[in-house]
C-alpha cells in the first residue's frame, strides 16, 4: 500500500486543489437523490474521455496539482474532502460546474493511498440503495475507490446512460484506469424482492461463465451461512450473471479480478433482512484485497 505526504502549498500558501469538510455519506447521497429517469444525459466524446483518463491517472499517482489541467479540460476537478463524521480524507473527482459533465459520474478515493480495490455503482437510484451500500463500504474500508455513475440508467435516450453496457462513459473510463493498475472490482447491482418462484437472494458471478475466484467461493459460503440464498454463477445457471457487462469483459482482458453481485432489495435496504451480514461479508472481501 503506497502512502504519500500532503502536497506542498504553492507560492501563495494554498494547496493545489480545493478542500471541503462534508458528511461524506450525505454529500454523495444528496447528489444521487436528484437522479431522474427522465433526466438529460449525453455521453462524453472520445476527447473528453481521453483527458479525463489522463487526469485520473495523475490523481492515482497522487499528482493532484498536475491533474488539474486535463481534468479541467474534461469539465472536472479534484477536491480533498474531510469527512466531518470521522475525520478521514478522500479525494473526489467530480464535475467542475453545470453542463453535461455533471451527469457523467464521480470517483472517490482514500486520500494518499494507492487503491487496492474498487466498488462500482453503475445504476445508482435505479438499483435502489446500491449507492448507499457503496458509500458505506468505502467508509468502512481502506485503500479503496468508489466509482458512481452520474445519472439514472434510464436517462437520455436509447440506453445511453446504462453504463454497465456502454464503453463511451466516464464510469467505464475510470474503471479502465483502475483495471490497468491491477485494481480488482466489486460491482453492485440490485433486483426487486418477491419475484414469483425466486429461489435466491443474491447472484454472484464474474460475468465469465463457469469461473470462480477463490474469494468468491468464500463470500458465497459466508453469505450462505448467514441464511442468504446465493446463486453461484460458476456452478449453476443463474439469471442476471452480467455476461454482457462491459467492465467485466474489460477485466477479463486485463486479467483483473471482477465480482458482479446482484442483491435482493432487502439485502440492500439499510434495515433489511441480512443487510448487516451482507455489508460485513463484502467488507471482508475488500479487506482481503487490500491485504493481498
Amino acid at each position: 500500500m503506497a502512502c504519500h505526504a500532503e502536497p506542498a502549498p504553492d507560492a501563495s500558501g494554498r494547496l493545489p486543489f480545493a478542500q471541503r469538510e462534508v458528511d461524506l455519506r450525505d454529500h454523495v447521497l444528496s447528489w444521487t437523490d436528484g437522479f431522474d429517469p427522465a433526466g438529460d444525459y449525453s455521453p462524453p466524446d472520445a476527447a473528453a474521455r481521453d483527458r479525463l483518463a489522463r487526469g485520473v491517472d495523475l490523481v492515482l499517482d497522487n499528482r493532484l496539482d498536475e491533474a488539474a489541467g486535463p481534468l479541467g479540460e474534461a469539465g472536472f476537478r479534484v477536491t480533498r474532502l474531510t469527512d466531518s463524521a470521522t475525520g478521514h480524507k478522500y479525494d473526489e473527482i467530480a464535475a467542475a460546474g453545470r453542463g453535461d459533465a455533471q451527469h457523467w459520474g464521480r470517483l472517490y478515493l482514500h486520500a494518499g493511498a494507492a487503491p487496492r480495490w474498487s466498488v462500482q455503482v453503475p445504476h445508482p437510484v435505479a438499483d435502489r440503495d446500491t449507492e448507499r451500500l457503496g458509500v458505506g463500504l468505502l467508509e468502512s474500508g481502506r485503500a479503496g475507490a468508489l466509482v458512481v455513475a452520474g445519472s439514472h440508467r434510464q436517462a437520455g435516450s436509447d440506453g445511453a446512460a446504462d453504463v454497465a453496457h456502454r464503453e463511451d462513459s466516464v464510469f467505464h473510463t475510470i474503471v479502465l484506469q483502475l483495471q490497468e493498475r491491477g485494481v480488482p472490482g466489486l460491482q453492485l447491482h440490485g433486483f426487486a424482492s418477491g419475484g414469483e418462484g425466486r429461489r435466491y437472494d443474491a447472484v454472484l458471478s464474474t460475468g465469465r461463465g463457469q469461473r470462480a475466484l477463490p474469494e468468491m467461493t468464500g463470500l458465497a459460503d459466508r453469505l450462505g451461512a448467514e441464511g442468504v440464498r446465493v446463486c453461484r454463477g460458476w456452478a449453476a445457471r443463474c439469471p442476471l450473471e452480467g455476461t454482457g457487462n462491459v467492465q467485466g469483459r474489460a477485466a477479463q482482458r486485463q486479467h483483473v479480478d471482477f465480482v458482479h453481485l446482484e442483491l435482493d432489495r432487502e439485502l440492500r435496504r439499510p434495515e433489511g433482512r441480512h443487510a448487516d451480514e451482507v455489508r460485513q461479508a463484502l467488507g471482508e472481501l475488500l479487506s482481503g484485497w487490500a491485504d493481498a
Side-chain angles (χ1 to χ4, degrees), residues 89-107:
K89 295 183 183 297
Y90 301 88
D91 289 331
E92 173 194 70
I93 295 178
R98 296 192 175 275
D100 287 341
Q102 69 179 323
H103 305 298
W104 287 345
R106 291 182 178 180
L107 170 64

Side-chain angles (χ1 to χ4, degrees), residues 2-7 15-20 22 24 27-28 55-65 67 71 76-83 87-95 105-115 138 143-148 174 178:
C3 295
H4 306 272
E6 192 82 9
L15 288 172
F17 48 81
Q19 299 181 84
R20 291 183 62 191
V22 299
L24 183 70
H27 177 68
V28 177
V56 168
D57 197 49
L58 289 165
V59 172
L60 293 174
D61 283 337
N62 207 44
R63 295 157 63 187
L64 277 64
D65 51 343
L71 287 178
F76 286 80
R77 67 184 171 200
V78 60
T79 303
R80 175 67 54 87
L81 302 177
T82 300
D83 183 14
H88 296 160
K89 295 183 183 297
Y90 301 88
D91 289 331
E92 173 194 70
I93 295 178
R106 291 182 178 180
L107 170 64
Y108 292 89
L109 301 160
H110 288 110
L138 182 72
L146 172 65
V147 191
V148 186
I174 292 173
L178 292 165

Side-chain angles (χ1 to χ4, degrees), residues 87-142:
H88 296 160
K89 295 183 183 297
Y90 301 88
D91 289 331
E92 173 194 70
I93 295 178
R98 296 192 175 275
D100 287 341
Q102 69 179 323
H103 305 298
W104 287 345
R106 291 182 178 180
L107 170 64
Y108 292 89
L109 301 160
H110 288 110
R116 303 296 299 272
W117 50 264
S118 74
V119 171
Q120 304 162 18
V121 182
H123 301 145
V125 180
D127 289 358
R128 189 179 303 173
D129 286 324
T130 52
E131 65 279 4
R132 184 182 296 273
L133 177 56
V135 176
L137 290 171
L138 182 72
E139 289 179 315
S140 63
R142 54 190 171 83

